[in-house]
Amino acid sequence: MNQQNALSRIPVKQLVKNTQVKNMIANVLHDREPQFATSIVSIVNSNRSLANVDQLSVIQSAMVAATLDLPIDQNLGYVWLVPYKGKAQAQIGYKGYIQLAQRSGQYKAMNAVTVYEGELTSWNPLTEEVVFDPMKRTSDVVIGYIGYFKLLNGFEKTVYWTKEQIEAHRDRFSKAGGNSPWKSDFDAMAKKTVLKDLLTKWGPMSTQMAVAASKDEVDPDPVNIEADETTKDKQAEDLFNQVSELPQESVKEVPKENTQPEQTTAKKANKPASVKAVEKEKKEPVAEKTDDVNEIIKTVPDETPDEEQTELLNHWGEPVNE
């Protein structure tokens, strides 16, 4: 069976009902998990192009917003989920960057504005000193964008990008074509470009700001499994067992730790059964026996096992009666 992304055929509205997916979201959002899951489904329903991409990437992109505690409602402009080459990307809007900067508690003022013809009195590219007068606007023609902030300690910075510079940046870095916010909301994306450049170059970099900059417009890490077309629920469950954010517990190592040569001191009559039990567990994977393993580890000390400990190992595969 070919290796492929199993969730490429599982709709998000089904995926968010999976127990492991719900737990992953709840680990970040706690009691807001149901509302967040509903928001993801709503976004996909309103943007059908997202329904045609890897559905795990939709969840992963939405989780970028969740970890940054930013709303994913596309109408608010904090984070967009954008389809690109069969996957979804999280693109953080300028409002998202402003929100993250405000949380640092180090900014006194911050803004990004559109500059129209006649409003720019002077601009020094070397010192980046800008003289801006909105009262001198002569037309509705956009010529550029200005970003500005001032810190509580008095440091302030202003940057100016011409519209031509913004368009060159868009042409170089925009990936989603007609599905991109660059097409639906050029002005917001231009302000985001200026603010991101301003904050990441000159502003204090909080942990959340650094995460946002590193995750912005980046493809989710690919996850490939052997897809089974007849068991869609099993696909989602198996996939999330392999996602790095979820805990993955192994029981294979326990028999090795408890079958060292010193165990030959146990009674000869019990040895064949013990080896047989261990070999059985190697051949037949047992699901969710972590509690049994932990019970054995607690019961069996580091020294040579006695008869009672060997008996526990012989019945390792059987449920433990509380």
Side-chain angles (χ1 to χ4, degrees):
M1 196 175 293
N2 295 330
Q3 290 289 328
Q4 57 184 333
N5 192 323
L7 295 186
S8 63
R9 295 186 304 277
I10 303 177
V12 164
K13 63 182 179 181
Q14 296 179 17
L15 185 59
V16 295
K17 297 178 182 179
N18 178 270
T19 301
Q20 290 177 291
V21 176
K22 294 174 68 175
N23 288 341
M24 183 179 70
I25 298 175
N27 285 338
V28 177
L29 296 175
H30 307 294
D31 57 352
R32 290 185 292 159
E33 176 269 324
Q35 294 89 337
F36 189 78
T38 300
S39 297
I40 297 175
V41 175
S42 177
I43 289 171
V44 174
N45 288 340
S46 62
N47 185 354
R48 299 308 301 169
S49 58
L50 286 172
N52 299 321
V53 303
D54 179 340
Q55 300 297 273
L56 173 60
S57 71
V58 176
I59 300 292
Q60 290 173 314
S61 297
M63 289 303 294
V64 171
T67 57
L68 296 172
D69 195 20
L70 294 174
I72 59 174
D73 187 332
Q74 308 291 269
N75 296 320
L76 297 179
Y78 286 90
V79 178
W80 287 288
L81 302 186
V82 180
Y84 172 65
K85 289 188 176 180
K87 294 184 181 295
Q89 286 185 338
Q91 292 193 3
I92 302 171
Y94 80 94
K95 293 180 182 178
Y97 279 104
I98 290 176
Q99 182 69 228
L100 297 176
Q102 288 176 339
R103 291 177 193 170
S104 71
Q106 300 186 60
Y107 291 85
K108 182 176 182 179
M110 181 186 309
N111 201 7
V113 297
T114 303
V115 182
Y116 295 92
E117 198 170 46
E119 293 180 335
L120 186 68
T121 302
S122 65
W123 168 50
N124 187 328
L126 178 61
T127 62
E128 293 189 312
E129 293 179 356
V130 176
V131 179
F132 172 71
D133 188 351
M135 301 303 295
K136 294 183 178 181
R137 177 174 172 177
T138 58
S139 74
D140 292 336
V141 176
V142 176
I143 62 172
Y145 295 84
I146 296 176
Y148 166 81
F149 74 70
K150 183 175 183 179
L151 300 181
L152 293 176
N153 62 13
F155 177 76
E156 58 184 344
K157 189 65 179 178
T158 303
V159 297
Y160 172 70
W161 285 45
T162 66
K163 186 177 181 181
E164 290 74 22
Q165 287 176 307
I166 294 290
E167 290 175 337
H169 175 89
R170 176 203 59 191
D171 295 341
R172 180 179 179 184
F173 295 104
S174 178
K175 305 173 182 177
N179 294 315
S180 170
W182 280 107
K183 183 175 179 64
S184 60
D185 202 341
F186 180 91
D187 197 60
M189 289 299 291
K191 291 178 180 178
K192 172 256 182 82
T193 300
V194 171
L195 271 180
K196 181 180 179 180
D197 177 71
L198 174 66
L199 294 172
T200 56
K201 283 184 178 178
W202 300 99
M205 288 295 288
S206 65
T207 301
Q208 281 194 328
M209 185 69 74
V211 171
S214 65
K215 298 293 184 181
D216 191 11
E217 302 184 43
V218 175
D219 291 339
D221 293 333
V223 179
N224 295 316
I225 67 169
E226 203 168 308
D228 182 353
E229 297 182 6
T230 63
T231 56
K232 290 186 177 181
D233 289 339
K234 187 63 166 58
Q235 289 175 354
E237 184 175 348
D238 290 344
L239 177 61
F240 277 90
N241 280 332
Q242 299 180 42
V243 177
S244 60
E245 287 82 0
L246 296 179
Q248 302 183 35
E249 298 173 346
S250 173
V251 300
K252 292 183 178 180
E253 307 238 353
V254 173
K256 292 181 180 180
E257 295 175 357
N258 294 283
T259 56
Q260 299 300 322
E262 56 266 24
Q263 290 185 0
T264 57
T265 59
K267 286 188 176 181
K268 184 175 182 180
N270 289 333
K271 180 177 180 181
S274 177
V275 173
K276 182 178 180 180
V278 173
E279 290 299 326
K280 180 180 180 181
E281 292 304 323
K282 289 182 178 179
K283 295 179 180 179
E284 301 179 8
V286 180
E288 300 299 327
K289 293 194 176 182
T290 307
D291 292 339
D292 294 351
V293 175
N294 289 336
E295 189 64 27
I296 293 175
I297 292 174
K298 293 177 181 178
T299 306
V300 182
D302 293 335
E303 62 266 13
T304 303
D306 58 20
E307 180 179 353
E308 180 182 354
Q309 296 164 355
T310 303
E311 184 66 13
L312 280 173
L313 289 176
N314 291 341
H315 294 84
W316 180 81
E318 300 176 3
V320 177
N321 295 324
E322 298 289 347

